[in-house]
């Protein structure tokens, strides 16, 4: 266990959950599902059952460091990695991996987003431990794949082969980003595709080797600053380093290029909570299919299949709406057809163009 580490990525702005998720207070720091705990708190507590507390690192935008400290009382200053600018997941993982490798060259690391939902905690724990053990003994890059329940066009897909290591981890054949519906249907019918959960497991040695091979310029930036990592000079170095890094995801930068990528098929009740519709699917609904969070002060008339999230002290009356998202927060009310919710990102951009950062 002492060699097991976690990197929780918590730097995104969650624009698809606007107006509740704002750039100053994004969705990972919110209680989206009304459970009493924010998404990052749930993720942190999930890993505390697997990883020693001192080995859990939070990678986030430096402007969110106060929120991390406020919400995760057990985290020390040294365990929060502040990013000066958003540069996607590869620089974040390179930074954290070099830092951890210097502390423990024998580390096995799990990398996870901070804003996903896991329903079967025990199955998740077993799959992560199995993956950490496999990563410790093999030169491989492991990704967790979710057994698909439907031909969803919002997820990436992983195709795997019958070749395995440790009997459970299948060699990855292809990655496909968000296919159209017809292609997604073909993937489901073929039986050898999984959803890409964006959860990775590898040894420090394996990921540093992959960075050296596939993202050498980025790897050199952090390797050359090794003497500053885990010292008081780290923050200053990172400010300089991040502006030199390419803006690229770990998927494009490494996982789609490396020859030693393996996937573990899993089924632990996963959702990336990427949209209001994904929250609607998971939320409790009344007999007309309405999901209302919280429900005390919302009155519905001739309305069905709606997703409603409003402040507790707001009286809301809805009449004659079917299949709508109704969300109020931060002096903003949004009413949007569920089938058109992919436009929310554009709406956010339009609002910013018209009003500046007032409502963003």
């Amino acid at each position: 266990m002492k060699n097991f580490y976690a990197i929780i990525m918590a730097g995104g702005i969650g624009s698809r959950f606007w107006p509740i998720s704002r750039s100053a207070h994004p969705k990972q720091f919110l209680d989206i599902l009304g459970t009493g705990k924010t998404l990052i708190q749930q993720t942190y507590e999930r890993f505390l059952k697997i990883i020693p507390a001192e080995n859990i690192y939070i990678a986030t935008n430096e402007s969110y460091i106060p929120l991390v400290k406020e919400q995760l009382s057990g985290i020390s200053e040294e365990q929060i990695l502040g990013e000066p600018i958003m540069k996607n997941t590869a620089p974040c993982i390179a930074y954290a991996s070099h830092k951890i490798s210097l502390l423990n060259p024998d580390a096995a690391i799990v990398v996870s987003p901070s804003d996903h939902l896991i329903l079967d905690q025990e199955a998740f724990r077993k799959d992560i431990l199995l993956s950490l053990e496999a990563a410790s003994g093999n030169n491989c890059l492991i990704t967790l794949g979710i057994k698909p329940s439907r031909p969803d066009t919002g997820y990436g897909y992983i195709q795997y082969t019958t070749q395995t290591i440790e009997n459970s981890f299948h060699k990855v054949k292809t990655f496909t980003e968000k296919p159209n519906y017809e292609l997604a249907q073909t993937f489901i019918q073929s039986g050898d595709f999984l959803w890409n959960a964006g959860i990775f497991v590898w040894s420090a040695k394996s990921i540093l080797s992959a960075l050296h091979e596939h993202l050498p310029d980025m790897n050199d930036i952090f390797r050359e600053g090794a003497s500053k990592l885990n010292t008081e000079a780290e923050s200053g170095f990172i400010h300089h380093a991040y502006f030199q890094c390419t803006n690229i995801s770990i998927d494009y930068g490494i996982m789609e290029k490396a020859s030693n990528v393996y996937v573990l098929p899993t089924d632990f009740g996963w959702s990336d909570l990427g949209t209001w519709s994904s929250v609607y699917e998971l939320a409790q609904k009344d007999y007309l299919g309405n999901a209302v969070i919280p429900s005390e002060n919302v009155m519905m008339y001739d309305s069905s299949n709606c997703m409603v999230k409003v402040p507790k002290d707001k009286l809301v009356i809805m009449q004659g709406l079917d299949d709508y998202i109704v969300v109020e927060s931060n002096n903003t009310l949004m009413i949007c057809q569920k089938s058109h919710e992919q436009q929310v990102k554009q709406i956010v951009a339009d609002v910013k163009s018209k009003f500046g950062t007032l409502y963003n």
Side-chain angles (χ1 to χ4, degrees), residues 13-15 17-23 25-27 30 330 360:
I13 58 173
S15 61
F17 277 96
W18 185 87
I20 284 179
S21 180
R22 298 293 180 96
S23 54
H25 202 107
K27 74 166 178 170
L30 299 171
N330 301 303
N360 286 78

Side-chain angles (χ1 to χ4, degrees), residues 254-329:
I254 289 180
M255 300 303 280
E256 294 185 14
K257 298 173 183 173
S259 59
N260 59 335
V261 179
Y262 290 80
V263 64
L264 177 65
T266 63
D267 190 13
F268 43 65
W270 169 88
S271 171
D272 72 344
L273 291 179
T275 63
W276 281 116
S277 285
S278 65
V279 173
Y280 173 81
E281 292 299 326
L282 293 158
Q284 283 193 322
K285 304 172 192 66
D286 66 17
Y287 70 102
L288 290 172
N290 296 307
V292 184
I293 311 172
S295 59
E296 292 83 4
N297 292 343
V298 178
M299 300 173 68
M300 313 280 281
Y301 297 89
D302 304 319
S303 296
S304 55
N305 306 311
C306 291
M307 171 72 228
V308 184
K309 188 167 174 66
V310 293
K312 289 180 180 177
D313 59 352
K314 176 74 68 171
L315 173 62
V316 176
I317 292 95
M318 290 173 50
Q319 194 281 327
L321 292 184
D322 176 60
D323 212 42
Y324 271 79
I325 298 164
V326 178
V327 183
E328 183 181 347
S329 183

Side-chain angles (χ1 to χ4, degrees), residues 41 117 134 145 186 223 261 270 312:
Q41 286 172 331
L117 179 74
T186 304
R223 188 177 55 80
V261 179
W270 169 88
K312 289 180 180 177

